[in-house]
Amino acid sequence: MSWTISAELIPGLARGAAVLGTGGGGDPYIGALLAAQALREHGDVTVVTLDEVPDDALVLTVAMMGAPTVMVEKLPSLTEVVAPVHALSASLGRPVTHIACAEVGGVNSTIPIAAAAALGLPLIDADGMGRAFPELQMVLPTLYGIDASPLAFSDEKGNTGVLTTVDNSWTERIARVACVEMGCSVMISGFPMSGAQAREALVADSLSLCREIGDGIEAARAEKADPVERTVQLLGGRELFSGKVVDVERATTTGFARGRVRIDGVDASLELSFQNEHLMAALDGVTLVTTPDLIMVLEHDSGEPITTEGLRYGQRVRVISAPSDDRWHSPAALAMVGPGYFGYEVPSHRFDGTAETPAPDAPEVAA
Amino acid sequence: MSWTISAELIPGLARGAAVLGTGGGGDPYIGALLAAQALREHGDVTVVTLDEVPDDALVLTVAMMGAPTVMVEKLPSLTEVVAPVHALSASLGRPVTHIACAEVGGVNSTIPIAAAAALGLPLIDADGMGRAFPELQMVLPTLYGIDASPLAFSDEKGNTGVLTTVDNSWTERIARVACVEMGCSVMISGFPMSGAQAREALVADSLSLCREIGDGIEAARAEKADPVERTVQLLGGRELFSGKVVDVERATTTGFARGRVRIDGVDASLELSFQNEHLMAALDGVTLVTTPDLIMVLEHDSGEPITTEGLRYGQRVRVISAPSDDRWHSPAALAMVGPGYFGYEVPSHRFDGTAETPAPDAPEVAA
């Protein structure tokens, strides 16, 4: 059933999105500011469920691409947010009917709200990942054979490009170098798909889940309960570790924020490796959990999600983990987003710590 | 008056274009092969003079962008040559009426012949420079306020992009990083202009001049005369130096072939600095001639032009120089293509050796 996003829902939704964003997707407050502004200027946004989208709809994703470390410095204007949608719609020669989120996480759950408001279009209660990942081809639609391109990108100066590529990895490669040249942060719109395709390929109800998580954290605080515990229960996950941030190593290279954070507990040490998002957690050198399952850092008492670029020495944090959409565990999906793709030479470890044996027909998955 | 390019005109035209290309624009024989193939498959190409182009024509330039060192390895197919024209025409929503050369030199005088043949369109006897330059904004149309974008680029894999940028330097920047990512060589089509704009901004009759140069070299050889001397006379230039190539330093970086060549004569040494094209000639450390005037390396006896990527130890060569189109000597033009832009801290030196005093209103020209 459809619902409405008004300005007062934004903070909870942005907080929940930042949890599912596993550290990436950019600063949720930047996106929340922009979404609130768009709702004030253009009115509330109607959110429709996947089964309400007509088969012949023209759905586009809208997202910010780049290093979150840069995004936080460059709040886009509404003009900039809708520019790639207009460019892509003109290129397709058809009006867009629905906006969807490519991922959940930080700005990339709230920017589509701003876009939908400014364009006067409904937003779909769904996204392409059920989490955040650093590269644009890393969405379930890629696994369903849906093309990322034509895909449009725009910067704050007024430069725009529309790409048509032979596969989604090439869309990522060309858009990424353009993004880096244009200042490490651009708005993109792509993955044109029908309602039928969206229904098959997207993760359903993810905006509703963001709301639930955000509201749950708020409610737990009000009830003097434990917001972290509440989030873990809601996601069917588990708490991995509790401690203090003692070391953060971070570099913005080739358009990504890459790094490692060390968290010291009472008698052990947890290391998280990230590329925009947290991709691997290791306890005293032993792998605990890896991508594609979710690894999230929350502030110790308030349960507030901390993005990778928000990590600071001395923060008291808890690290939790939760299962990803199950489709991310197919051999093809693991080849695309498993630890091997990111250069970590370990098998994928699920949120509960079990290592996945690569299927015999998936030799490209790092063992 | 219009004339016709048939396959037998290609070798002379390509040779003349390689002379005016001042070492850049890629291997002329690669482009000649492709143009000859296109003429065989699609018939001869009509060449029209600038004053024959209707005011309301839609003129596009077609060129290969990238490092000539890579271009020589990757002969594009005709499908690849016309791909950016189709992409740009679709984006503009109007049929293209005329093809023009962005520059003269190497492949970039012959590729447009191939494009015109394959598209069944007339080619204009003109180009955007009257020589070759390494970056795409370095054309006279930029000085007349004509936008490079929308500009389309395509690679041999089937990837295409259409850029719309705030100025021509941004077109270059974004297209260049895409080009590098796509393998250091792409086909581009851009600078959409009317016939009236083309008449104002292009260098007239440059294809005819290429023919004259190429035919002149051939005729001089047949008459046992000096082909180098013949070329110098035709261009109103002078011979700078005669000697043997003793050192070539060349690197393909950020999409360009950059380097230096040393030529030793009887009792002196000439050094040429290039970035795709020859940009500066210095005799025993003293600047002789710089961009924008033309510096060309010809084989000692045959007068055959040698491109920068064709330079080899031991070649006996003569270096000649000739005046560029006079519009390249305005303060704005010198700021765009003078030696200072390329990092050479010398004033521009004309082909006859006189140094140009920068105009007082042009502080951006390196002194």
Side-chain angles (χ1 to χ4, degrees):
Chain A
M1 212 186 66
S2 70
W3 46 287
T4 301
I5 299 186
S6 50
E8 67 271 18
L9 294 188
I10 296 289
L13 211 154
R15 179 174 289 124
V19 171
L20 292 178
T22 65
D27 188 328
Y29 306 104
I30 295 286
L33 282 175
L34 192 67
Q37 179 204 338
L39 294 173
R40 270 197 312 275
E41 286 180 23
H42 298 278
D44 295 350
V45 164
T46 300
V47 180
V48 299
T49 56
L50 271 174
D51 47 19
E52 291 170 320
V53 182
D55 276 353
D56 62 351
L58 174 55
V59 181
L60 298 185
T61 61
V62 177
M64 199 164 184
M65 180 182 202
T69 34
V70 175
M71 291 180 190
V72 301
E73 308 281 339
K74 280 171 70 177
L75 179 60
S77 68
L78 280 183
T79 313
E80 198 185 331
V81 166
V82 298
V85 181
H86 288 310
L88 186 50
S89 175
S91 170
L92 293 166
R94 289 168 58 200
V96 183
T97 63
H98 294 74
I99 297 297
C101 301
E103 62 182 3
V104 283
V107 298
N108 280 338
S109 291
T110 42
I111 288 262
I113 300 172
L119 293 162
L121 291 175
L123 180 66
I124 304 179
D125 192 355
D127 80 291
M129 306 184 199
R131 52 163 296 158
F133 274 126
E135 300 182 10
L136 74 72
Q137 80 279 13
M138 295 175 171
V139 292
L140 293 170
T142 297
L143 296 173
Y144 286 91
I146 296 170
D147 288 337
S149 79
L151 175 136
F153 55 90
S154 312
D155 68 13
E156 75 289 356
K157 295 171 279 292
N159 295 311
T160 298
V162 179
L163 301 176
T164 308
T165 61
V166 292
D167 62 36
N168 295 357
S169 295
W170 272 107
T171 323
E172 159 68 22
R173 287 180 64 169
I174 303 172
R176 185 69 56 180
V177 292
C179 167
V180 171
E181 186 68 20
M182 292 160 94
C184 262
S185 164
V186 291
M187 288 300 313
I188 60 174
S189 182
F191 287 95
M193 56 187 129
S194 68
Q197 288 176 307
R199 233 185 319 284
E200 181 180 54
L202 298 183
V203 177
D205 306 323
S206 50
L207 289 175
S208 292
L209 179 59
C210 291
R211 258 182 88 177
E212 259 188 281
I213 297 169
D215 293 350
I217 290 172
E218 192 96 27
R221 286 178 195 167
E223 298 157 16
K224 311 280 184 212
D226 180 356
V228 176
E229 181 55 31
R230 184 76 55 99
T231 301
V232 165
Q233 276 169 8
L234 189 61
L235 296 179
R238 66 165 177 142
E239 186 169 332
L240 295 181
F241 198 74
S242 171
K244 201 174 86 166
V245 174
V246 294
D247 197 24
V248 186
E249 197 185 306
R250 194 193 285 114
T252 302
T253 52
T254 61
F256 296 106
R258 296 175 205 264
R260 268 196 294 250
V261 55
R262 209 181 90 217
I263 301 161
D264 278 1
V266 179
D267 50 11
S269 191
L270 187 82
E271 187 174 87
L272 302 179
S273 302
F274 58 85
Q275 179 174 323
N276 292 9
E277 284 76 35
H278 293 297
L279 298 173
M280 187 163 69
L283 186 68
D284 291 332
V286 178
T287 305
L288 271 187
V289 180
T290 69
T291 172
D293 276 357
L294 285 64
I295 301 165
M296 296 152 281
V297 178
L298 306 181
E299 202 278 322
H300 192 281
D301 299 328
S302 69
E304 198 65 23
I306 302 175
T307 59
T308 52
E309 80 275 8
L311 290 164
R312 298 282 180 274
Y313 175 84
Q315 285 167 332
R316 290 177 59 246
V317 301
R318 284 149 83 185
V319 181
I320 67 172
S321 183
S324 67
D325 186 287
D326 209 50
R327 291 171 284 181
W328 284 124
H329 290 279
S330 76
L334 287 175
M336 184 162 74
V337 301
Y341 180 87
F342 296 100
Y344 307 124
E345 295 186 347
V346 296
S348 164
H349 283 64
R350 289 196 183 240
F351 80 101
D352 60 7
T354 55
E356 294 190 278
T357 311
D361 58 338
E364 68 271 55
V365 179
Chain B
M1 213 185 65
S2 70
W3 47 287
T4 302
I5 299 186
S6 50
E8 69 270 18
L9 294 188
I10 296 288
L13 211 153
R15 179 173 290 127
V19 171
L20 291 179
T22 65
D27 189 325
Y29 305 103
I30 296 287
L33 282 175
L34 192 68
Q37 179 204 337
L39 294 174
R40 269 197 312 276
E41 286 181 24
H42 298 277
D44 295 349
V45 164
T46 300
V47 180
V48 299
T49 56
L50 271 174
D51 48 17
E52 290 171 318
V53 182
D55 276 353
D56 62 352
L58 174 55
V59 181
L60 299 184
T61 61
V62 177
M64 199 164 183
M65 180 183 201
T69 33
V70 175
M71 290 181 193
V72 299
E73 307 283 338
K74 280 170 69 177
L75 180 61
S77 67
L78 280 184
T79 312
E80 199 185 332
V81 166
V82 298
V85 181
H86 288 311
L88 186 50
S89 175
S91 170
L92 293 167
R94 289 167 58 201
V96 183
T97 63
H98 294 75
I99 297 297
C101 301
E103 62 182 4
V104 281
V107 296
N108 280 337
S109 291
T110 41
I111 288 262
I113 300 172
L119 294 162
L121 291 176
L123 179 66
I124 304 179
D125 191 355
D127 80 291
M129 305 185 200
R131 51 164 295 158
F133 275 125
E135 301 183 8
L136 75 73
Q137 81 279 11
M138 295 175 170
V139 291
L140 293 169
T142 297
L143 297 173
Y144 286 90
I146 295 169
D147 289 337
S149 79
L151 176 137
F153 55 91
S154 313
D155 67 13
E156 76 289 357
K157 294 170 279 292
N159 296 308
T160 298
V162 179
L163 301 176
T164 307
T165 61
V166 292
D167 62 37
N168 294 359
S169 295
W170 271 107
T171 323
E172 159 69 23
R173 286 179 63 169
I174 303 171
R176 184 70 56 180
V177 292
C179 167
V180 171
E181 186 67 19
M182 292 160 94
C184 263
S185 164
V186 291
M187 287 300 314
I188 60 174
S189 181
F191 288 95
M193 57 187 128
S194 68
Q197 288 177 307
R199 233 185 317 283
E200 181 180 52
L202 298 183
V203 177
D205 305 324
S206 50
L207 289 174
S208 292
L209 179 59
C210 290
R211 258 183 87 178
E212 259 186 281
I213 297 168
D215 293 349
I217 291 172
E218 193 96 27
R221 287 178 195 167
E223 297 158 17
K224 310 283 184 206
D226 181 357
V228 176
E229 180 56 30
R230 184 75 55 99
T231 302
V232 165
Q233 276 170 7
L234 191 59
L235 297 178
R238 66 166 177 140
E239 186 170 333
L240 295 181
F241 198 75
S242 170
K244 199 174 88 166
V245 174
V246 293
D247 197 26
V248 185
E249 197 187 305
R250 192 193 284 113
T252 302
T253 52
T254 63
F256 297 106
R258 296 175 206 262
R260 269 196 295 250
V261 55
R262 209 181 92 216
I263 301 161
D264 279 0
V266 180
D267 50 10
S269 190
L270 188 82
E271 187 175 85
L272 303 179
S273 302
F274 58 85
Q275 178 174 323
N276 293 9
E277 283 76 34
H278 292 297
L279 299 173
M280 187 162 69
L283 186 67
D284 291 332
V286 178
T287 307
L288 272 187
V289 180
T290 69
T291 169
D293 276 358
L294 285 66
I295 300 165
M296 296 151 281
V297 178
L298 307 181
E299 203 277 321
H300 192 280
D301 299 328
S302 70
E304 199 65 25
I306 302 175
T307 59
T308 53
E309 80 275 8
L311 290 164
R312 299 284 180 274
Y313 175 84
Q315 284 167 332
R316 289 177 58 245
V317 301
R318 284 150 82 185
V319 181
I320 67 171
S321 183
S324 67
D325 185 289
D326 210 49
R327 292 171 285 182
W328 283 124
H329 290 280
S330 76
L334 287 174
M336 183 161 76
V337 301
Y341 180 88
F342 297 100
Y344 307 125
E345 296 186 347
V346 295
S348 163
H349 283 62
R350 290 196 182 238
F351 80 101
D352 60 6
T354 55
E356 293 189 281
T357 312
D361 58 339
E364 69 271 55
V365 179

